[in-house]
Amino acid sequence: MNNKTAKQYLSLTVMAGIMLFTSCDKKKTPEAAKGTATVQIANKAGSQTLVLNTGTYLNQNGDTFSVNMYKYYISNIELIREDGSSYKEDYSYHLVDEAQTASKSFQLKAIPAGTYTKMKVVLGVDSTHNVSGAQTGDLDPILGMFWEWNTGYIMAKIEGRSPQSGNTQKIISFHLGGFSGQYSSVKTVMYNLPQALNITATGSPKINIESDILKWFYGSSLINFQNYNAITSVGRFSFEISENYKNHLSVKSIEP
Amino acid sequence: MRLPTTHKRKILVIASLLSLIISTQLLSCRKSEIVLDENFAFIIPTGWPQPFYNFEQNPVSKERFELGRKLFYDKQLSINNSISCGTCHQQFAAFAQIDHDISHGIFDRVGARNSPAIFNMNWNTSFFWDGRANHIEVQPLNPITDHNEMGETIENVVVKLSADARYKPMFQKAYGDETVSSQRILKALAQFMGMMVSDRSKYDLYKQGKASLSAQEQSGLLVFEAQCATCHKAPLFSDFSFRSNGLPLILNSRGVIDSGKAAVPPFAAENLYKFKVPSLRNLKYTRPYMHDGRYTTLEQVLDHYAQIDPNAVNLDPLLQNRIILSPVQRADLLAFLNTLNDEAFVKDKRFAEVQ
């Protein structure tokens, strides 16, 4: 091997070595700062705080009722800047359960620093995750939000009682499901944030969200519990309620 | 381009070094995976279409399959630990239940439909006679929780199995730790059932050029192609569509007429009395036939097709003219259907209950 060739081999080996040791690092472009924000959820009945079992409330039709279970999904959370660019939460599925305090607060992570003015969410679980087999986390079927008799997630659920219920046991039971077709209860909603949300590397802003359970029962259709008290499958009645329910969430305030 | 030999050699050396580097890098950057048994893979039989489910999110391993096998035969999946999947899906019946028109569940409760056979599940686009489940992984949730079948909750199954020491090493081997979860249970069951491929019948050997059909079987194949093949499409022998074959509307075990696919959302009238077209493979083992097991012999089935009421509600247009066969055609067809029986499958030790 002559000297020139040897040099070539040496340089190749060095190059190879460098490539081997550097290849697994991501490109070292200066990374934009990222921060977090906390989503804090309060469940209400109009202006009253929702209290399971003991609280009594009045729907728009004048029916009184109490609630012993209130659960719903918020998924595909997206924060949008003025220029239209956005942050999408990774694997964004949150089951809010009034009985589980921890479920009413969660953190959005790795949000690029900047000012966000809108938030987009899917109320319910997107159709893809209704047709993709066994899921885990907040989509685990053990959480009681899955229809095994007709594959698909229950997007939102109210269980309670009302003296006006047409049911002999005076039960009210609303399970909204259906992820495709004309009666789908999956709703994509966009909210203008009441104040701009500033994300910085060090800040810990809070997005205060409220769900108003009364909104399930008026808006698009006025619901009376005499006729509507057990909606547990997909159809015209569940769709009517879901057209009301799509207004149940609102962004109340941003705490910097 | 012509280059001096030495240059060519150098280029070759550089190229091979570079490829070595690149391949090493690819390997070194890949996340660690559970090492799979190379002899244990899901193979699509030659000439078959792509399956609907191909284990993309559920990589096949012997350990997961074996966990699924144990779960399939475990009575703890039912509320009083009396019924397993294998109770109503027996291997010698090609995982249907022989001689049972409808299934028997916990506390001697009876179902309303015939236990369907389990094989070639990965090609199914939906499950159950009415297609109520859309994915092989979530399908078991229905029998586990059904009031008349196993009456259990998946939550409680997780609790029971977490307390069962025999499962700890199995979950450990299959998933890397002992944690029991609904997703792990369901994915393991999907591995066991998805690996049940029935592709070793005489017909399959014939298609591979390894066996020949008798003259009668050949004639039967022609009858089949002329009369049956649209709905019972080869090589799965079903097109997995929902159709009404004009069965007389009789009261079922619940005292009502089974409305078929119309019993599930969107509860459409156009789905009344429609059921999923079943495969014609393994008919020798899967009797009785039809969604309610009303026919115990294939002769009775063929009698039905010859006598369909053309005014039946939602009768499939393809059956408007009935299927009228001469005695010779009928015997030939039965001979052909017999070539679809897969004895190797019903005797395959991999799918048997572990004693």
Side-chain angles (χ1 to χ4, degrees), chain B residues 214-229:
Chain B
S214 71
Q216 190 184 32
E217 289 162 352
Q218 289 275 9
S219 308
L221 172 57
L222 296 179
V223 176
F224 167 80
E225 282 172 346
Q227 304 285 357
C228 321

PDB file of all heavy atoms in Angstrom, chain B residues 214-229:
ATOM      1  N   SER B 214     -60.653 -34.611  -8.011  1.00  0.00           N
ATOM      2  CA  SER B 214     -61.274 -35.697  -8.770  1.00  0.00           C
ATOM      3  C   SER B 214     -62.208 -35.094  -9.814  1.00  0.00           C
ATOM      4  O   SER B 214     -62.538 -33.905  -9.749  1.00  0.00           O
ATOM      5  CB  SER B 214     -62.075 -36.593  -7.821  1.00  0.00           C
ATOM      6  OG  SER B 214     -63.232 -35.891  -7.384  1.00  0.00           O
ATOM      7  N   ALA B 215     -62.667 -35.909 -10.740  1.00  0.00           N
ATOM      8  CA  ALA B 215     -63.581 -35.416 -11.770  1.00  0.00           C
ATOM      9  C   ALA B 215     -64.836 -34.823 -11.143  1.00  0.00           C
ATOM     10  O   ALA B 215     -65.319 -33.767 -11.554  1.00  0.00           O
ATOM     11  CB  ALA B 215     -63.949 -36.557 -12.720  1.00  0.00           C
ATOM     12  N   GLN B 216     -65.345 -35.496 -10.111  1.00  0.00           N
ATOM     13  CA  GLN B 216     -66.548 -34.983  -9.448  1.00  0.00           C
ATOM     14  C   GLN B 216     -66.279 -33.646  -8.749  1.00  0.00           C
ATOM     15  O   GLN B 216     -67.077 -32.715  -8.825  1.00  0.00           O
ATOM     16  CB  GLN B 216     -67.064 -36.017  -8.433  1.00  0.00           C
ATOM     17  CG  GLN B 216     -68.435 -35.636  -7.907  1.00  0.00           C
ATOM     18  CD  GLN B 216     -68.948 -36.566  -6.827  1.00  0.00           C
ATOM     19  OE1 GLN B 216     -68.171 -37.112  -6.039  1.00  0.00           O
ATOM     20  NE2 GLN B 216     -70.253 -36.754  -6.790  1.00  0.00           N
ATOM     21  N   GLU B 217     -65.133 -33.557  -8.090  1.00  0.00           N
ATOM     22  CA  GLU B 217     -64.778 -32.306  -7.406  1.00  0.00           C
ATOM     23  C   GLU B 217     -64.602 -31.170  -8.421  1.00  0.00           C
ATOM     24  O   GLU B 217     -65.006 -30.028  -8.176  1.00  0.00           O
ATOM     25  CB  GLU B 217     -63.500 -32.495  -6.581  1.00  0.00           C
ATOM     26  CG  GLU B 217     -63.716 -33.381  -5.354  1.00  0.00           C
ATOM     27  CD  GLU B 217     -62.416 -33.950  -4.773  1.00  0.00           C
ATOM     28  OE1 GLU B 217     -61.334 -33.789  -5.407  1.00  0.00           O
ATOM     29  OE2 GLU B 217     -62.476 -34.570  -3.698  1.00  0.00           O
ATOM     30  N   GLN B 218     -64.008 -31.510  -9.575  1.00  0.00           N
ATOM     31  CA  GLN B 218     -63.846 -30.526 -10.654  1.00  0.00           C
ATOM     32  C   GLN B 218     -65.208 -30.011 -11.117  1.00  0.00           C
ATOM     33  O   GLN B 218     -65.403 -28.805 -11.271  1.00  0.00           O
ATOM     34  CB  GLN B 218     -63.142 -31.167 -11.864  1.00  0.00           C
ATOM     35  CG  GLN B 218     -61.672 -31.472 -11.657  1.00  0.00           C
ATOM     36  CD  GLN B 218     -60.784 -30.269 -11.955  1.00  0.00           C
ATOM     37  OE1 GLN B 218     -61.279 -29.174 -12.164  1.00  0.00           O
ATOM     38  NE2 GLN B 218     -59.467 -30.502 -11.966  1.00  0.00           N
ATOM     39  N   SER B 219     -66.143 -30.937 -11.327  1.00  0.00           N
ATOM     40  CA  SER B 219     -67.493 -30.534 -11.735  1.00  0.00           C
ATOM     41  C   SER B 219     -68.142 -29.682 -10.667  1.00  0.00           C
ATOM     42  O   SER B 219     -68.815 -28.688 -10.954  1.00  0.00           O
ATOM     43  CB  SER B 219     -68.366 -31.761 -11.985  1.00  0.00           C
ATOM     44  OG  SER B 219     -67.734 -32.640 -12.857  1.00  0.00           O
ATOM     45  N   GLY B 220     -67.920 -30.054  -9.407  1.00  0.00           N
ATOM     46  CA  GLY B 220     -68.461 -29.302  -8.280  1.00  0.00           C
ATOM     47  C   GLY B 220     -67.896 -27.886  -8.245  1.00  0.00           C
ATOM     48  O   GLY B 220     -68.607 -26.930  -7.929  1.00  0.00           O
ATOM     49  N   LEU B 221     -66.620 -27.763  -8.574  1.00  0.00           N
ATOM     50  CA  LEU B 221     -65.986 -26.441  -8.617  1.00  0.00           C
ATOM     51  C   LEU B 221     -66.706 -25.553  -9.636  1.00  0.00           C
ATOM     52  O   LEU B 221     -66.955 -24.371  -9.385  1.00  0.00           O
ATOM     53  CB  LEU B 221     -64.492 -26.583  -8.957  1.00  0.00           C
ATOM     54  CG  LEU B 221     -63.707 -25.304  -9.229  1.00  0.00           C
ATOM     55  CD1 LEU B 221     -63.775 -24.330  -8.049  1.00  0.00           C
ATOM     56  CD2 LEU B 221     -62.239 -25.618  -9.534  1.00  0.00           C
ATOM     57  N   LEU B 222     -67.078 -26.151 -10.769  1.00  0.00           N
ATOM     58  CA  LEU B 222     -67.789 -25.377 -11.796  1.00  0.00           C
ATOM     59  C   LEU B 222     -69.167 -24.946 -11.297  1.00  0.00           C
ATOM     60  O   LEU B 222     -69.596 -23.816 -11.526  1.00  0.00           O
ATOM     61  CB  LEU B 222     -67.908 -26.193 -13.097  1.00  0.00           C
ATOM     62  CG  LEU B 222     -66.574 -26.530 -13.776  1.00  0.00           C
ATOM     63  CD1 LEU B 222     -66.814 -27.366 -15.027  1.00  0.00           C
ATOM     64  CD2 LEU B 222     -65.782 -25.267 -14.113  1.00  0.00           C
ATOM     65  N   VAL B 223     -69.854 -25.844 -10.607  1.00  0.00           N
ATOM     66  CA  VAL B 223     -71.160 -25.486 -10.023  1.00  0.00           C
ATOM     67  C   VAL B 223     -70.976 -24.358  -9.018  1.00  0.00           C
ATOM     68  O   VAL B 223     -71.707 -23.361  -9.006  1.00  0.00           O
ATOM     69  CB  VAL B 223     -71.821 -26.706  -9.340  1.00  0.00           C
ATOM     70  CG1 VAL B 223     -73.127 -26.302  -8.650  1.00  0.00           C
ATOM     71  CG2 VAL B 223     -72.045 -27.832 -10.336  1.00  0.00           C
ATOM     72  N   PHE B 224     -69.964 -24.529  -8.171  1.00  0.00           N
ATOM     73  CA  PHE B 224     -69.670 -23.505  -7.162  1.00  0.00           C
ATOM     74  C   PHE B 224     -69.435 -22.147  -7.835  1.00  0.00           C
ATOM     75  O   PHE B 224     -69.995 -21.128  -7.429  1.00  0.00           O
ATOM     76  CB  PHE B 224     -68.431 -23.912  -6.341  1.00  0.00           C
ATOM     77  CG  PHE B 224     -67.893 -22.789  -5.511  1.00  0.00           C
ATOM     78  CD1 PHE B 224     -68.482 -22.461  -4.298  1.00  0.00           C
ATOM     79  CD2 PHE B 224     -66.807 -22.027  -5.952  1.00  0.00           C
ATOM     80  CE1 PHE B 224     -68.007 -21.400  -3.539  1.00  0.00           C
ATOM     81  CE2 PHE B 224     -66.336 -20.964  -5.190  1.00  0.00           C
ATOM     82  CZ  PHE B 224     -66.933 -20.657  -3.985  1.00  0.00           C
ATOM     83  N   GLU B 225     -68.599 -22.149  -8.862  1.00  0.00           N
ATOM     84  CA  GLU B 225     -68.262 -20.883  -9.521  1.00  0.00           C
ATOM     85  C   GLU B 225     -69.486 -20.236 -10.166  1.00  0.00           C
ATOM     86  O   GLU B 225     -69.627 -19.013 -10.155  1.00  0.00           O
ATOM     87  CB  GLU B 225     -67.151 -21.096 -10.554  1.00  0.00           C
ATOM     88  CG  GLU B 225     -65.787 -21.211  -9.866  1.00  0.00           C
ATOM     89  CD  GLU B 225     -64.659 -21.603 -10.801  1.00  0.00           C
ATOM     90  OE1 GLU B 225     -64.943 -22.044 -11.936  1.00  0.00           O
ATOM     91  OE2 GLU B 225     -63.495 -21.478 -10.382  1.00  0.00           O
ATOM     92  N   ALA B 226     -70.370 -21.061 -10.668  1.00  0.00           N
ATOM     93  CA  ALA B 226     -71.555 -20.522 -11.333  1.00  0.00           C
ATOM     94  C   ALA B 226     -72.599 -20.028 -10.335  1.00  0.00           C
ATOM     95  O   ALA B 226     -73.322 -19.073 -10.598  1.00  0.00           O
ATOM     96  CB  ALA B 226     -72.162 -21.587 -12.250  1.00  0.00           C
ATOM     97  N   GLN B 227     -72.694 -20.690  -9.181  1.00  0.00           N
ATOM     98  CA  GLN B 227     -73.834 -20.450  -8.283  1.00  0.00           C
ATOM     99  C   GLN B 227     -73.493 -19.786  -6.956  1.00  0.00           C
ATOM    100  O   GLN B 227     -74.369 -19.194  -6.332  1.00  0.00           O
ATOM    101  CB  GLN B 227     -74.525 -21.790  -7.966  1.00  0.00           C
ATOM    102  CG  GLN B 227     -74.986 -22.557  -9.178  1.00  0.00           C
ATOM    103  CD  GLN B 227     -76.226 -21.970  -9.827  1.00  0.00           C
ATOM    104  OE1 GLN B 227     -76.798 -20.993  -9.330  1.00  0.00           O
ATOM    105  NE2 GLN B 227     -76.635 -22.524 -10.960  1.00  0.00           N
ATOM    106  N   CYS B 228     -72.273 -19.906  -6.480  1.00  0.00           N
ATOM    107  CA  CYS B 228     -71.991 -19.527  -5.088  1.00  0.00           C
ATOM    108  C   CYS B 228     -70.873 -18.495  -4.945  1.00  0.00           C
ATOM    109  O   CYS B 228     -70.762 -17.827  -3.912  1.00  0.00           O
ATOM    110  CB  CYS B 228     -71.576 -20.756  -4.269  1.00  0.00           C
ATOM    111  SG  CYS B 228     -72.489 -22.265  -4.646  1.00  0.00           S
ATOM    112  N   ALA B 229     -70.005 -18.407  -5.975  1.00  0.00           N
ATOM    113  CA  ALA B 229     -68.703 -17.748  -5.798  1.00  0.00           C
ATOM    114  C   ALA B 229     -68.778 -16.244  -5.618  1.00  0.00           C
ATOM    115  O   ALA B 229     -67.827 -15.642  -5.120  1.00  0.00           O
ATOM    116  CB  ALA B 229     -67.794 -18.085  -6.980  1.00  0.00           C
TER     117      ALA B 229
END
